[in-house]
mmCIF file of all heavy atoms in Angstrom:
data_model
loop_
_atom_site.group_PDB
_atom_site.id
_atom_site.type_symbol
_atom_site.label_atom_id
_atom_site.label_comp_id
_atom_site.label_asym_id
_atom_site.label_seq_id
_atom_site.Cartn_x
_atom_site.Cartn_y
_atom_site.Cartn_z
ATOM 1 N N ASP A 11 12.491 9.542 26.906
ATOM 2 C CA ASP A 11 13.033 8.274 27.178
ATOM 3 C C ASP A 11 12.792 7.309 26.053
ATOM 4 O O ASP A 11 13.565 6.338 25.796
ATOM 5 C CB ASP A 11 12.391 7.673 28.469
ATOM 6 C CG ASP A 11 12.813 8.433 29.727
ATOM 7 O OD1 ASP A 11 13.854 9.133 29.646
ATOM 8 O OD2 ASP A 11 12.096 8.387 30.693
ATOM 9 N N PHE A 12 11.762 7.553 25.247
ATOM 10 C CA PHE A 12 11.397 6.655 24.169
ATOM 11 C C PHE A 12 12.366 6.820 23.041
ATOM 12 O O PHE A 12 12.566 5.854 22.284
ATOM 13 C CB PHE A 12 9.943 7.097 23.687
ATOM 14 C CG PHE A 12 9.343 6.157 22.637
ATOM 15 C CD1 PHE A 12 9.258 4.813 22.872
ATOM 16 C CD2 PHE A 12 8.907 6.710 21.445
ATOM 17 C CE1 PHE A 12 8.644 3.976 21.987
ATOM 18 C CE2 PHE A 12 8.320 5.850 20.504
ATOM 19 C CZ PHE A 12 8.197 4.462 20.784
ATOM 20 N N ARG A 13 13.029 7.954 22.908
ATOM 21 C CA ARG A 13 13.947 8.120 21.735
ATOM 22 C C ARG A 13 15.185 7.338 21.799
ATOM 23 O O ARG A 13 15.744 6.970 20.772
ATOM 24 C CB ARG A 13 14.291 9.624 21.612
ATOM 25 C CG ARG A 13 13.175 10.531 21.265
ATOM 26 C CD ARG A 13 13.598 11.940 20.972
ATOM 27 N NE ARG A 13 14.206 12.610 22.168
ATOM 28 C CZ ARG A 13 14.709 13.818 22.090
ATOM 29 N NH1 ARG A 13 14.723 14.477 20.979
ATOM 30 N NH2 ARG A 13 15.149 14.358 23.146
ATOM 31 N N ALA A 14 15.668 6.961 23.036
ATOM 32 C CA ALA A 14 16.980 6.228 23.133
ATOM 33 C C ALA A 14 16.845 4.853 22.497
ATOM 34 O O ALA A 14 17.711 4.594 21.677
ATOM 35 C CB ALA A 14 17.317 6.207 24.673
ATOM 36 N N PRO A 15 15.865 4.024 22.834
ATOM 37 C CA PRO A 15 15.780 2.689 22.122
ATOM 38 C C PRO A 15 15.575 2.776 20.652
ATOM 39 O O PRO A 15 16.075 1.927 19.912
ATOM 40 C CB PRO A 15 14.667 1.986 22.894
ATOM 41 C CG PRO A 15 13.837 3.081 23.546
ATOM 42 C CD PRO A 15 14.857 4.149 23.859
ATOM 43 N N LEU A 16 14.823 3.825 20.196
ATOM 44 C CA LEU A 16 14.706 4.013 18.788
ATOM 45 C C LEU A 16 16.023 4.271 18.113
ATOM 46 O O LEU A 16 16.316 3.729 16.969
ATOM 47 C CB LEU A 16 13.676 5.127 18.498
ATOM 48 C CG LEU A 16 12.258 4.897 18.775
ATOM 49 C CD1 LEU A 16 11.483 6.173 18.527
ATOM 50 C CD2 LEU A 16 11.746 3.713 17.809
ATOM 51 N N THR A 17 16.890 5.147 18.749
ATOM 52 C CA THR A 17 18.210 5.407 18.126
ATOM 53 C C THR A 17 18.988 4.196 18.102
ATOM 54 O O THR A 17 19.756 3.895 17.090
ATOM 55 C CB THR A 17 18.838 6.503 18.957
ATOM 56 O OG1 THR A 17 18.056 7.730 19.014
ATOM 57 C CG2 THR A 17 20.200 6.862 18.455
ATOM 58 N N ALA A 18 18.998 3.383 19.165
ATOM 59 C CA ALA A 18 19.724 2.115 19.223
ATOM 60 C C ALA A 18 19.271 1.202 18.143
ATOM 61 O O ALA A 18 20.103 0.553 17.462
ATOM 62 C CB ALA A 18 19.609 1.506 20.652
ATOM 63 N N THR A 19 17.929 1.051 17.952
ATOM 64 C CA THR A 19 17.424 0.095 16.965
ATOM 65 C C THR A 19 17.892 0.565 15.554
ATOM 66 O O THR A 19 18.188 -0.300 14.713
ATOM 67 C CB THR A 19 15.891 0.015 17.008
ATOM 68 O OG1 THR A 19 15.499 -0.330 18.397
ATOM 69 C CG2 THR A 19 15.332 -0.912 16.076
ATOM 70 N N ASN A 20 17.805 1.822 15.278
ATOM 71 C CA ASN A 20 18.243 2.369 14.066
ATOM 72 C C ASN A 20 19.698 2.000 13.796
ATOM 73 O O ASN A 20 20.147 1.621 12.653
ATOM 74 C CB ASN A 20 18.036 3.850 13.978
ATOM 75 C CG ASN A 20 18.446 4.495 12.621
ATOM 76 O OD1 ASN A 20 18.084 3.956 11.566
ATOM 77 N ND2 ASN A 20 19.300 5.529 12.679
ATOM 78 N N GLY A 21 20.534 2.155 14.807
ATOM 79 C CA GLY A 21 21.955 1.827 14.694
ATOM 80 C C GLY A 21 22.178 0.331 14.450
ATOM 81 O O GLY A 21 23.022 -0.015 13.572
ATOM 82 N N TYR A 22 21.396 -0.550 15.050
ATOM 83 C CA TYR A 22 21.568 -1.940 14.816
ATOM 84 C C TYR A 22 21.168 -2.332 13.398
ATOM 85 O O TYR A 22 21.848 -3.188 12.762
ATOM 86 C CB TYR A 22 20.742 -2.765 15.859
ATOM 87 C CG TYR A 22 21.146 -2.635 17.229
ATOM 88 C CD1 TYR A 22 20.263 -2.592 18.311
ATOM 89 C CD2 TYR A 22 22.603 -2.634 17.579
ATOM 90 C CE1 TYR A 22 20.733 -2.525 19.601
ATOM 91 C CE2 TYR A 22 22.994 -2.577 18.890
ATOM 92 C CZ TYR A 22 22.059 -2.487 19.894
ATOM 93 O OH TYR A 22 22.534 -2.402 21.178
ATOM 94 N N CYS A 23 20.128 -1.735 12.903
ATOM 95 C CA CYS A 23 19.743 -1.978 11.509
ATOM 96 C C CYS A 23 20.825 -1.619 10.523
ATOM 97 O O CYS A 23 21.216 -2.353 9.585
ATOM 98 C CB CYS A 23 18.417 -1.235 11.139
ATOM 99 S SG CYS A 23 16.947 -1.947 11.922
ATOM 100 N N GLY A 24 21.384 -0.434 10.803
ATOM 101 C CA GLY A 24 22.509 0.007 9.950
ATOM 102 C C GLY A 24 23.736 -0.882 10.011
ATOM 103 O O GLY A 24 24.337 -1.171 8.991
ATOM 104 N N LEU A 25 23.993 -1.411 11.232
ATOM 105 C CA LEU A 25 25.097 -2.298 11.381
ATOM 106 C C LEU A 25 24.877 -3.612 10.625
ATOM 107 O O LEU A 25 25.793 -4.110 9.953
ATOM 108 C CB LEU A 25 25.386 -2.606 12.855
ATOM 109 C CG LEU A 25 26.446 -3.607 13.205
ATOM 110 C CD1 LEU A 25 27.818 -3.111 12.801
ATOM 111 C CD2 LEU A 25 26.406 -3.881 14.750
ATOM 112 N N LEU A 26 23.675 -4.183 10.686
ATOM 113 C CA LEU A 26 23.335 -5.367 9.958
ATOM 114 C C LEU A 26 23.518 -5.153 8.446
ATOM 115 O O LEU A 26 23.937 -6.047 7.722
ATOM 116 C CB LEU A 26 21.978 -5.835 10.419
ATOM 117 C CG LEU A 26 21.836 -6.432 11.786
ATOM 118 C CD1 LEU A 26 20.391 -6.660 12.059
ATOM 119 C CD2 LEU A 26 22.715 -7.623 11.990
ATOM 120 N N LEU A 27 22.998 -4.001 8.048
ATOM 121 C CA LEU A 27 23.068 -3.711 6.545
ATOM 122 C C LEU A 27 24.499 -3.637 6.018
ATOM 123 O O LEU A 27 24.684 -3.862 4.812
ATOM 124 C CB LEU A 27 22.312 -2.465 6.209
ATOM 125 C CG LEU A 27 20.774 -2.473 6.257
ATOM 126 C CD1 LEU A 27 20.094 -1.137 6.189
ATOM 127 C CD2 LEU A 27 20.265 -3.411 5.154
ATOM 128 N N THR A 28 25.448 -3.266 6.833
ATOM 129 C CA THR A 28 26.863 -3.229 6.384
ATOM 130 C C THR A 28 27.426 -4.623 6.271
ATOM 131 O O THR A 28 28.556 -4.861 5.751
ATOM 132 C CB THR A 28 27.713 -2.473 7.423
ATOM 133 O OG1 THR A 28 27.717 -3.157 8.674
ATOM 134 C CG2 THR A 28 27.203 -1.065 7.574
ATOM 135 N N GLU A 29 26.654 -5.662 6.749
ATOM 136 C CA GLU A 29 27.066 -7.083 6.760
ATOM 137 C C GLU A 29 28.345 -7.276 7.535
ATOM 138 O O GLU A 29 29.070 -8.244 7.291
ATOM 139 C CB GLU A 29 27.326 -7.488 5.284
ATOM 140 C CG GLU A 29 26.026 -7.517 4.401
ATOM 141 C CD GLU A 29 26.190 -8.049 3.002
ATOM 142 O OE1 GLU A 29 27.117 -7.573 2.309
ATOM 143 O OE2 GLU A 29 25.418 -8.981 2.676
ATOM 144 N N ALA A 30 28.546 -6.480 8.535
ATOM 145 C CA ALA A 30 29.771 -6.650 9.427
ATOM 146 C C ALA A 30 29.575 -7.878 10.329
ATOM 147 O O ALA A 30 30.540 -8.528 10.724
ATOM 148 C CB ALA A 30 29.981 -5.466 10.288
ATOM 149 N N LEU A 31 28.263 -8.362 10.467
ATOM 150 C CA LEU A 31 28.053 -9.530 11.314
ATOM 151 C C LEU A 31 27.693 -10.721 10.488
ATOM 152 O O LEU A 31 27.219 -11.732 11.034
ATOM 153 C CB LEU A 31 26.887 -9.141 12.336
ATOM 154 C CG LEU A 31 27.121 -7.969 13.244
ATOM 155 C CD1 LEU A 31 25.962 -7.775 14.198
ATOM 156 C CD2 LEU A 31 28.426 -8.212 14.076
ATOM 157 N N GLY A 32 27.780 -10.643 9.189
ATOM 158 C CA GLY A 32 27.490 -11.819 8.322
ATOM 159 C C GLY A 32 26.799 -11.298 7.107
ATOM 160 O O GLY A 32 26.154 -10.226 7.065
ATOM 161 N N THR A 33 26.866 -12.079 6.037
ATOM 162 C CA THR A 33 26.259 -11.787 4.782
ATOM 163 C C THR A 33 24.772 -11.917 4.830
ATOM 164 O O THR A 33 24.220 -12.699 5.625
ATOM 165 C CB THR A 33 26.802 -12.655 3.648
ATOM 166 O OG1 THR A 33 26.532 -14.064 4.013
ATOM 167 C CG2 THR A 33 28.337 -12.460 3.475
ATOM 168 N N LEU A 34 24.078 -11.134 4.033
ATOM 169 C CA LEU A 34 22.640 -11.132 3.958
ATOM 170 C C LEU A 34 22.168 -11.265 2.503
ATOM 171 O O LEU A 34 22.857 -10.766 1.626
ATOM 172 C CB LEU A 34 22.036 -9.837 4.513
ATOM 173 C CG LEU A 34 22.363 -9.480 6.010
ATOM 174 C CD1 LEU A 34 21.847 -8.015 6.263
ATOM 175 C CD2 LEU A 34 21.754 -10.376 7.019
ATOM 176 N N ASN A 35 21.037 -11.954 2.338
ATOM 177 C CA ASN A 35 20.516 -12.002 0.941
ATOM 178 C C ASN A 35 19.655 -10.802 0.703
ATOM 179 O O ASN A 35 19.432 -9.955 1.559
ATOM 180 C CB ASN A 35 19.692 -13.337 0.794
ATOM 181 C CG ASN A 35 18.514 -13.433 1.668
ATOM 182 O OD1 ASN A 35 17.825 -12.412 1.924
ATOM 183 N ND2 ASN A 35 18.273 -14.624 2.266
ATOM 184 N N SER A 36 19.210 -10.635 -0.525
ATOM 185 C CA SER A 36 18.530 -9.397 -0.949
ATOM 186 C C SER A 36 17.231 -9.211 -0.174
ATOM 187 O O SER A 36 16.839 -8.106 0.194
ATOM 188 C CB SER A 36 18.259 -9.404 -2.457
ATOM 189 O OG SER A 36 17.551 -10.525 -2.767
ATOM 190 N N ASP A 37 16.465 -10.276 0.073
ATOM 191 C CA ASP A 37 15.272 -10.111 0.849
ATOM 192 C C ASP A 37 15.508 -9.666 2.261
ATOM 193 O O ASP A 37 14.747 -8.823 2.812
ATOM 194 C CB ASP A 37 14.492 -11.476 0.850
ATOM 195 C CG ASP A 37 13.903 -11.861 -0.490
ATOM 196 O OD1 ASP A 37 13.732 -10.940 -1.374
ATOM 197 O OD2 ASP A 37 13.686 -13.051 -0.734
ATOM 198 N N GLN A 38 16.471 -10.216 2.921
ATOM 199 C CA GLN A 38 16.798 -9.828 4.293
ATOM 200 C C GLN A 38 17.270 -8.307 4.329
ATOM 201 O O GLN A 38 16.836 -7.575 5.192
ATOM 202 C CB GLN A 38 17.917 -10.692 4.836
ATOM 203 C CG GLN A 38 17.549 -12.115 5.113
ATOM 204 C CD GLN A 38 18.682 -12.972 5.378
ATOM 205 O OE1 GLN A 38 19.813 -12.798 4.979
ATOM 206 N NE2 GLN A 38 18.473 -14.061 6.257
ATOM 207 N N LYS A 39 18.017 -7.901 3.304
ATOM 208 C CA LYS A 39 18.387 -6.436 3.294
ATOM 209 C C LYS A 39 17.209 -5.564 3.127
ATOM 210 O O LYS A 39 17.100 -4.539 3.734
ATOM 211 C CB LYS A 39 19.382 -6.236 2.162
ATOM 212 C CG LYS A 39 20.776 -6.833 2.345
ATOM 213 C CD LYS A 39 21.742 -6.491 1.261
ATOM 214 C CE LYS A 39 23.112 -6.974 1.498
ATOM 215 N NZ LYS A 39 24.050 -6.662 0.397
ATOM 216 N N GLU A 40 16.267 -6.013 2.232
ATOM 217 C CA GLU A 40 15.032 -5.215 1.969
ATOM 218 C C GLU A 40 14.182 -5.073 3.274
ATOM 219 O O GLU A 40 13.659 -4.025 3.583
ATOM 220 C CB GLU A 40 14.200 -5.790 0.879
ATOM 221 C CG GLU A 40 12.920 -5.050 0.611
ATOM 222 C CD GLU A 40 13.180 -3.631 0.069
ATOM 223 O OE1 GLU A 40 14.272 -3.342 -0.405
ATOM 224 O OE2 GLU A 40 12.235 -2.801 0.243
ATOM 225 N N VAL A 41 14.088 -6.162 4.047
ATOM 226 C CA VAL A 41 13.356 -6.139 5.300
ATOM 227 C C VAL A 41 14.013 -5.207 6.319
ATOM 228 O O VAL A 41 13.408 -4.310 6.950
ATOM 229 C CB VAL A 41 13.215 -7.510 5.936
ATOM 230 C CG1 VAL A 41 12.716 -7.431 7.344
ATOM 231 C CG2 VAL A 41 12.304 -8.423 5.116
ATOM 232 N N LEU A 42 15.360 -5.211 6.379
ATOM 233 C CA LEU A 42 16.117 -4.366 7.277
ATOM 234 C C LEU A 42 15.950 -2.882 6.861
ATOM 235 O O LEU A 42 15.866 -1.933 7.682
ATOM 236 C CB LEU A 42 17.631 -4.707 7.343
ATOM 237 C CG LEU A 42 17.930 -5.982 8.190
ATOM 238 C CD1 LEU A 42 19.405 -6.325 7.969
ATOM 239 C CD2 LEU A 42 17.666 -5.660 9.659
ATOM 240 N N ARG A 43 15.930 -2.586 5.527
ATOM 241 C CA ARG A 43 15.809 -1.281 5.094
ATOM 242 C C ARG A 43 14.438 -0.730 5.471
ATOM 243 O O ARG A 43 14.305 0.488 5.871
ATOM 244 C CB ARG A 43 16.025 -1.134 3.583
ATOM 245 C CG ARG A 43 17.544 -1.083 3.225
ATOM 246 C CD ARG A 43 17.735 -0.738 1.775
ATOM 247 N NE ARG A 43 17.361 -1.826 0.903
ATOM 248 C CZ ARG A 43 18.220 -2.738 0.414
ATOM 249 N NH1 ARG A 43 19.489 -2.536 0.743
ATOM 250 N NH2 ARG A 43 17.895 -3.734 -0.383
ATOM 251 N N ARG A 44 13.403 -1.601 5.310
ATOM 252 C CA ARG A 44 12.055 -1.112 5.688
ATOM 253 C C ARG A 44 11.935 -0.913 7.201
ATOM 254 O O ARG A 44 11.317 0.047 7.640
ATOM 255 C CB ARG A 44 11.018 -2.133 5.178
ATOM 256 C CG ARG A 44 10.863 -2.229 3.715
ATOM 257 C CD ARG A 44 9.800 -3.255 3.279
ATOM 258 N NE ARG A 44 9.647 -3.210 1.894
ATOM 259 C CZ ARG A 44 8.746 -2.499 1.188
ATOM 260 N NH1 ARG A 44 8.007 -1.681 1.895
ATOM 261 N NH2 ARG A 44 8.610 -2.573 -0.047
ATOM 262 N N MET A 45 12.583 -1.781 8.005
ATOM 263 C CA MET A 45 12.605 -1.547 9.423
ATOM 264 C C MET A 45 13.319 -0.231 9.805
ATOM 265 O O MET A 45 12.850 0.489 10.616
ATOM 266 C CB MET A 45 13.335 -2.731 10.099
ATOM 267 C CG MET A 45 12.585 -4.025 10.146
ATOM 268 S SD MET A 45 13.604 -5.411 10.870
ATOM 269 C CE MET A 45 14.013 -4.683 12.478
ATOM 270 N N GLN A 46 14.412 -0.025 9.184
ATOM 271 C CA GLN A 46 15.130 1.233 9.440
ATOM 272 C C GLN A 46 14.362 2.470 9.032
ATOM 273 O O GLN A 46 14.287 3.453 9.753
ATOM 274 C CB GLN A 46 16.481 1.176 8.694
ATOM 275 C CG GLN A 46 17.491 2.263 9.156
ATOM 276 C CD GLN A 46 18.821 2.114 8.517
ATOM 277 O OE1 GLN A 46 18.919 1.868 7.267
ATOM 278 N NE2 GLN A 46 19.866 2.301 9.283
ATOM 279 N N HIS A 47 13.660 2.336 7.932
ATOM 280 C CA HIS A 47 12.800 3.459 7.474
ATOM 281 C C HIS A 47 11.735 3.759 8.509
ATOM 282 O O HIS A 47 11.504 4.898 8.846
ATOM 283 C CB HIS A 47 12.190 3.144 6.138
ATOM 284 C CG HIS A 47 11.188 4.120 5.652
ATOM 285 N ND1 HIS A 47 11.498 5.356 5.169
ATOM 286 C CD2 HIS A 47 9.820 4.082 5.638
ATOM 287 C CE1 HIS A 47 10.379 6.037 4.872
ATOM 288 N NE2 HIS A 47 9.342 5.256 5.088
ATOM 289 N N SER A 48 11.068 2.673 8.991
ATOM 290 C CA SER A 48 10.011 2.867 10.012
ATOM 291 C C SER A 48 10.581 3.376 11.339
ATOM 292 O O SER A 48 9.912 4.298 11.957
ATOM 293 C CB SER A 48 9.215 1.541 10.274
ATOM 294 O OG SER A 48 8.682 1.099 9.098
ATOM 295 N N VAL A 49 11.736 2.934 11.719
ATOM 296 C CA VAL A 49 12.360 3.363 13.018
ATOM 297 C C VAL A 49 12.676 4.892 12.880
ATOM 298 O O VAL A 49 12.469 5.645 13.819
ATOM 299 C CB VAL A 49 13.565 2.564 13.320
ATOM 300 C CG1 VAL A 49 14.336 3.216 14.439
ATOM 301 C CG2 VAL A 49 13.169 1.216 13.745
#
């Protein structure tokens, strides 16, 4: 059951990194990449 929310979180990080929901600065992208790496 624990794997499902992790998969969703990883997908949301990837979606944000594509900037489909808005532009991001370099620091924000780096934080998201680190989050995705940990997830």
Side-chain angles (χ1 to χ4, degrees):
D11 294 339
F12 188 56
R13 292 189 296 176
L16 286 175
T17 302
T19 303
N20 180 50
Y22 291 142
C23 288
L25 178 63
L26 291 172
L27 284 171
T28 64
E29 299 186 304
L31 302 181
T33 58
L34 302 172
N35 60 42
S36 58
D37 290 339
Q38 291 170 329
K39 288 183 178 180
E40 179 61 24
V41 169
L42 281 172
R43 277 192 286 267
R44 289 180 178 272
M45 287 176 57
Q46 192 174 41
H47 173 75
S48 296
V49 168

